[in-house]
Amino acid sequence: MISIGTIPNDLLGEMERALSPDDAAEMAIPSYRHKNPLLRSMAWWRVHALGAFLDRAARNGPSRPRVLDFGCGCGVQFERASRFAERIYGVDMVLGAAKILVERRGLDRVTLLTPDEARAQIEPGSIDILLAGEVLEHIEPLGDTLEWLRTRLARGGHMLVSLPTENAVYRLGRKLAGFSGHYHHSDASRIDAEIRQSGFEVVRTSRIPLGGPLSVYWIIDYRSRDAA
């Protein structure tokens, strides 16, 4: 038995081998498998923190919600969402790893879509819970994406995000993990401000591992102001 939200290491290895090194790194697979237990635990911590927000949104919403995992990567939230969701849409530019997970774990409630397919197939107001874990910092400009996401939400729906702070502690963690370069267009505080300006309001927040300058990730639950 594995913990909900944790993919077995051998399956992660199969998924990593199916991707380019850059794509695997962007999906955080090397972090989930890192030999350093502290760095590995930190990578899974943000997954479970976002998953806890997902569980709470599910408890307070429709009994069989429809979930959109935008930037699903290798699908670390699929099994958790499959416990209660009617349908999970996993959206990403690179779907090879997610396809392996869906096949190996028999996740028949998951539909995988490219971004273009998602824009064509997912109707406005059709999503109860929207996940955007470690993805919005890669998008520039962000405004059009936020508007599309906001209009997909059903009335009372939630958008749950995890965002890197890009602060000194975050950069130290990346260095210790062996990652170099800078491929994020923005950071948690700037993205949070842009999300609020685009028509969302904050329901609750969490900071990992601690608040203030020791915060590495922000986990935030938003709702559209139009649907509040």
Side-chain angles (χ1 to χ4, degrees):
M1 179 69 69
I2 63 169
S3 298
I4 289 295
T6 303
I7 301 171
N9 188 61
D10 58 346
L11 181 52
L12 280 170
E14 180 182 354
M15 295 157 76
E16 184 172 5
R17 291 188 293 272
L19 301 171
S20 71
D22 285 347
D23 286 336
E26 205 160 310
M27 294 181 189
I29 296 177
S31 297
Y32 299 143
R33 307 183 69 216
H34 204 282
K35 62 183 179 181
N36 184 311
L38 178 61
L39 297 175
R40 187 172 65 248
S41 296
M42 181 62 69
W44 283 110
W45 190 346
R46 72 180 185 234
V47 172
H48 291 304
L50 187 64
F53 274 37
L54 171 60
D55 288 345
R56 183 166 182 166
R59 288 195 301 269
N60 296 326
S63 60
R64 302 293 286 173
R66 296 172 74 85
V67 176
L68 169 57
D69 192 342
F70 183 76
C72 64
C74 61
V76 289
Q77 298 292 352
F78 287 172
E79 290 194 87
R80 183 185 291 268
S82 291
R83 294 177 300 161
F84 49 75
E86 173 187 313
R87 176 59 44 190
I88 303 139
Y89 297 100
V91 178
D92 209 295
M93 295 176 64
V94 178
L95 292 169
K99 287 178 180 177
I100 291 172
L101 179 68
V102 168
E103 178 182 334
R104 297 290 186 274
R105 307 296 278 184
L107 303 177
D108 57 5
R109 295 181 187 175
V110 177
T111 298
L112 298 176
L113 301 171
T114 66
D116 286 344
E117 290 170 339
R119 285 184 176 265
Q121 298 180 35
I122 299 178
E123 297 292 332
S126 64
I127 300 298
D128 301 297
I129 305 172
L130 197 159
L131 295 170
E134 303 294 301
V135 63
L136 298 180
E137 65 272 16
H138 296 280
I139 301 172
E140 180 65 33
L142 190 53
D144 179 66
T145 296
L146 290 175
E147 177 61 15
W148 185 80
L149 294 174
R150 189 182 65 80
T151 57
R152 297 312 101 177
L153 280 175
R155 186 168 185 83
H158 292 258
M159 181 171 76
L160 314 176
V161 310
S162 61
L163 301 168
T165 61
E166 300 284 346
N167 64 12
V169 177
Y170 177 85
R171 293 195 300 272
L172 176 61
R174 280 180 55 84
K175 184 176 180 179
L176 292 174
F179 299 128
S180 61
H182 186 282
Y183 53 87
H184 295 163
H185 294 291
S186 193
D187 58 33
S189 62
R190 294 177 183 176
I191 295 171
D192 173 51
E194 190 165 354
I195 292 173
R196 295 173 191 240
Q197 291 168 5
S198 70
F200 288 90
E201 63 181 9
V202 173
V203 178
R204 62 186 57 87
T205 65
S206 179
R207 302 288 188 263
I208 296 172
L210 298 168
L214 296 179
S215 177
V216 176
Y217 299 102
W218 292 9
I219 314 297
I220 309 177
D221 177 354
Y222 297 96
R223 216 168 30 190
S224 171
R225 283 196 292 269
D226 295 339

